[in-house]
Amino acid sequence: MALSLYNRLYNRFINWLTTEPPPVESPPCDFNRLKYEVRPGDVILVEGRSRVSKVIRIITQSPWTHAAIYIGRLHDIENPHLRKIVATHMKKRENLRLVIEGLPGQGIVVTPLSIYRHHHIRICRPIGLTPTDAELVIAFVIKSLGIPYNVRHLLDLARFLLPWSILPRRWGSTLFRTSSGEPDSGICTSLIAEAYTSVKFPILPFIKVNEETGFELIHRNPHLFTPKDFDYSPYFEIIKYPLFDPNEPLPYYRRLPWAEEGVLHQGQGIVSSRHEMADKRKKFLANLLSGDEKEKDKKTKNNDDNTHPETD
């Protein structure tokens, strides 16, 4: 009974954290062009809108709050055993473009790329990754399907990234390990980092000076990666697809359907014209000056009353 109540409360809390509100504005990328260019092994960065996304945005100081890895369509997976695993975890066996990602409350799951149609997304493509290693990376994430999502790692990551000094920093390495000393379940970026580390592909390796070879690379703890690291990494090519094709003959910025001159977006979905802002400013100043005049008149009247007191 107690466990059932705990599970219900936990599920409601996770749902509260992860529910995505409708977009306030259209995303600045062209999903229809992007979906035809994405390749298996590409990392997809997502700018989320949920409450947990806002927390991640504050912690990482980056708009990218989530990462997924693209694996292609079901029939693109040549290995029959891996294809069967993916099919088992799909809700509907449709011919869809698929990504594997870690989600709170769900764990490592396979989902259609199309769920991010109304999000701002970006492709991070590993530079020079061989087809063989790309298959190994995809095989790694497919075999991870069903692993639970570790919410605790988000808290541990926050301790590393925020300037807190409650715990000694030397305790940090133990925060990401289980009682057995081995990494347990992870989050979206740790899964992708582990997959690329398995084929010795660099993301943001630690570079150590070596007297014999000049320097050597050391893989970072996969649990310390955040979505923005794939954007920052020099080993990933950043691919963007704006709403308007900049390769057309005329400059694309001349062809954009701008609003009428003087209309500005003030944030939080508020749109107003310069004239409206100017009128509001004039009204505010007029009220302010009117208030000052009234205060002066009041003071003058009080002074007159004190100067000429009434007599019987």
Side-chain angles (χ1 to χ4, degrees):
M1 180 66 181
L3 184 60
S4 177
L5 177 61
Y6 169 80
N7 288 336
R8 287 202 300 270
L9 292 175
Y10 177 80
N11 290 335
R12 286 186 180 181
F13 175 67
I14 292 297
N15 185 61
W16 179 80
L17 281 178
T18 58
T19 298
E20 291 268 344
V24 177
E25 55 185 324
S26 298
C29 59
D30 188 344
F31 181 83
N32 290 326
R33 291 171 57 206
L34 181 147
K35 70 180 182 180
Y36 288 113
E37 299 297 334
V38 65
R39 302 176 187 171
D42 286 350
V43 177
I44 308 296
L45 299 184
V46 182
E47 185 177 358
R49 301 186 297 269
S50 65
R51 292 180 177 87
V52 71
S53 294
K54 293 179 181 178
V55 173
I56 294 172
R57 188 176 296 114
I58 293 172
I59 293 174
T60 63
Q61 293 296 294
S62 168
W64 306 115
T65 60
H66 182 60
I69 185 167
Y70 182 70
I71 64 170
R73 300 176 187 267
L74 186 61
H75 62 74
D76 292 331
I77 304 171
E78 296 182 358
N79 187 307
H81 175 64
L82 297 177
R83 188 165 59 247
K84 183 178 180 180
I85 294 176
V86 174
T88 302
H89 286 82
M90 290 176 64
K91 294 180 179 179
K92 294 182 179 179
R93 296 192 182 184
E94 299 176 329
N95 189 29
L96 301 173
R97 296 174 177 85
L98 304 172
V99 297
I100 289 181
E101 57 188 343
L103 299 175
Q106 299 183 48
I108 309 302
V109 296
V110 57
T111 52
L113 175 65
S114 58
I115 66 171
Y116 296 116
R117 173 180 293 275
H118 300 296
H119 287 72
H120 182 199
I121 60 179
R122 175 175 294 177
I123 296 175
C124 295
R125 179 164 295 160
I127 299 173
L129 184 69
T130 66
T132 301
D133 284 341
E135 290 182 2
L136 292 174
V137 168
I138 292 173
F140 185 98
V141 295
I142 289 176
K143 292 177 181 177
S144 301
L145 286 170
I147 293 177
Y149 188 97
N150 196 329
V151 178
R152 179 188 170 214
H153 283 168
L154 287 178
L155 304 177
D156 294 339
L157 192 59
R159 206 205 70 75
F160 266 80
L161 298 179
L162 293 177
W164 297 345
S165 57
I166 298 175
L167 297 175
R169 193 165 181 80
R170 64 178 180 273
W171 291 5
S173 60
T174 62
L175 289 175
F176 292 91
R177 296 186 177 272
T178 61
S179 57
S180 64
E182 292 301 321
D184 192 10
S185 52
I187 57 178
C188 60
T189 48
S190 65
L191 168 68
I192 300 172
E194 285 179 317
Y196 280 106
T197 300
S198 69
V199 296
K200 297 189 180 299
F201 189 88
I203 303 173
L204 283 176
F206 176 75
I207 302 176
K208 182 181 179 181
V209 176
N210 187 297
E211 295 181 358
E212 296 181 359
T213 61
F215 63 90
E216 64 178 350
L217 304 182
I218 301 175
H219 287 294
R220 295 184 186 271
N221 185 338
H223 297 288
L224 295 179
F225 282 99
T226 63
K228 73 172 183 179
D229 292 325
F230 296 96
D231 189 27
Y232 184 73
S233 172
Y235 306 102
F236 284 79
E237 178 185 5
I238 305 304
I239 302 175
K240 306 175 185 179
Y241 289 94
L243 288 174
F244 300 90
D245 189 356
N247 295 320
E248 291 187 12
L250 293 176
Y252 73 94
Y253 52 87
R254 295 289 186 183
R255 294 178 281 107
L256 297 180
W258 293 110
E260 62 184 68
E261 189 69 24
V263 175
L264 297 175
H265 179 252
Q266 308 294 347
Q268 303 297 323
I270 300 173
V271 178
S272 62
S273 68
R274 293 182 187 273
H275 299 297
E276 289 177 353
M277 295 300 294
D279 291 342
K280 287 182 179 179
R281 193 177 296 110
K282 288 180 181 178
K283 187 176 180 180
F284 172 77
L285 291 175
N287 291 336
L288 187 64
L289 293 174
S290 176
D292 290 342
E293 291 296 330
K294 290 180 179 179
E295 188 66 25
K296 287 181 181 179
D297 292 342
K298 185 177 180 180
K299 288 183 178 180
T300 302
K301 184 178 180 181
N302 290 337
N303 290 335
D304 291 342
D305 292 342
N306 292 333
T307 304
H308 306 287
E310 295 181 1
T311 57
D312 293 335

